[in-house]
Amino acid sequence: MRRVPYAWIEQARPGGVILTPWCDDWTHCGLLRLTVGEDGIATGRFTSDSAFMLMRTQRRDLFLFRDVVMDDHVPVESTTTLDPWAVADSPIETQFPLGLRLGDLWYAWDHDPGVDGVEIRLWVATADGGSWAAVDWDGTDGTAQYTVWQHGPRRVWDEVEAAHRWWLDNDRPGPERLGLTVTPEGQWAWLDRPEHAWPLR
C-alpha cells in the first residue's frame, strides 16, 4: 500500500492492529504496524523487512518518455555535489526514509541516454508527471559535481537534496525510527515521535 484506506481504521475495534506491507514511489520494502485508538486515529511504526507487489488499485500507469519528459520542455541547468547514487542506489536504510520524506517522487536510471558526454543519467519525477529532473554523470571517476536539468513548477532535485540533508541532520535515521499516523483528515509520516510529523504527499 501507498496509503492506508481510512475504511480499515473504521472497521477495526479500538486496540486493533493493522499490519500491511508498505511502499512509496521511491522504494518498495516496508512493513507498517498500526494500532487503532479510541479516537479513531491509528498510529504505528515501520520496519524494512518485507516486499510485495502493489495492490492493483495502488499502482501508477506512468512512463517517463510518454507521460513526463516532452520534446518541447526547456529545462533549467544547474549543478549538484550530491552523488545521485547516494540517494537512488543506496541501502534500504537510506532509501526508505528518503522515500517517506519525498512522498510523490520516483526515479529511474538511464544507462544509455544517448547524450554526448553523458554516461549515466538519473531521472527523478513527480507522480503526476508535472515536474522532473535529470542528473548526469560523464563517466569520470571521482566526480565531485554533476549537471542537473530541471523542468516544471517544482524543482524536484532541490527537494531530493533537502531530504538528504534532513536525513543527515537527523543522524541518518533508518526505517525503525519512522512512523505513520492515519486520521479521517489525512496521513502523516513522522520521525521518532508523532509530534515530529509531516503530511504525506
Side-chain angles (χ1 to χ4, degrees):
M1 300 294 289
R2 300 179 190 276
R3 297 289 184 275
V4 176
Y6 189 72
W8 290 7
I9 313 303
E10 294 177 311
Q11 294 168 33
R13 296 178 180 176
V17 172
I18 296 170
L19 187 67
T20 181
W22 177 268
C23 82
D24 51 49
D25 290 300
W26 199 261
T27 188
H28 302 268
C29 192
L31 190 65
L32 173 64
R33 185 183 190 275
L34 294 170
T35 301
V36 178
E38 296 276 356
D39 54 2
I41 295 174
T43 189
R45 290 184 178 272
F46 292 98
T47 60
S48 61
D49 56 359
S50 74
F52 293 83
M53 291 177 62
L54 270 169
M55 289 183 66
R56 192 174 300 275
T57 58
Q58 301 269 314
R59 299 176 192 173
R60 300 196 194 280
D61 180 27
L62 195 68
F63 291 91
L64 189 62
F65 295 112
R66 183 194 72 186
D67 307 310
V68 181
V69 181
M70 303 299 172
D71 290 340
D72 62 347
H73 286 174
V74 182
V76 175
E77 181 180 1
S78 62
T79 59
T80 184
T81 58
L82 177 59
D83 184 338
W85 283 271
V87 294
D89 191 29
S90 51
I92 191 64
E93 289 77 15
T94 304
Q95 288 203 54
F96 189 88
L98 290 180
L100 203 61
R101 190 74 177 177
L102 292 168
D104 64 345
L105 298 188
W106 57 280
Y107 70 87
W109 289 100
D110 190 345
H111 292 271
D112 187 19
V115 178
D116 288 343
V118 180
E119 187 81 15
I120 297 175
R121 173 171 281 176
L122 173 67
W123 293 96
V124 179
T126 55
D128 65 4
S131 298
W132 58 263
V135 184
D136 292 340
W137 178 58
D138 63 7
T140 305
D141 290 336
T143 299
Q145 191 165 272
Y146 304 85
T147 301
V148 179
W149 306 92
Q150 298 193 82
H151 176 79
R154 288 169 56 183
R155 292 294 179 252
V156 295
W157 186 251
D158 296 358
E159 294 179 24
V160 172
E161 289 184 321
H164 190 259
R165 282 194 302 273
W166 166 86
W167 182 71
L168 293 174
D169 291 345
N170 285 282
D171 299 321
R172 304 173 186 236
E176 70 285 345
R177 289 181 58 193
L178 298 164
L180 188 77
T181 297
V182 182
T183 75
E185 291 77 32
Q187 302 186 23
W188 287 264
W190 42 267
L191 175 66
D192 295 329
R193 297 190 302 277
E195 305 91 83
H196 303 157
W198 61 91
L200 284 185
R201 272 199 301 234

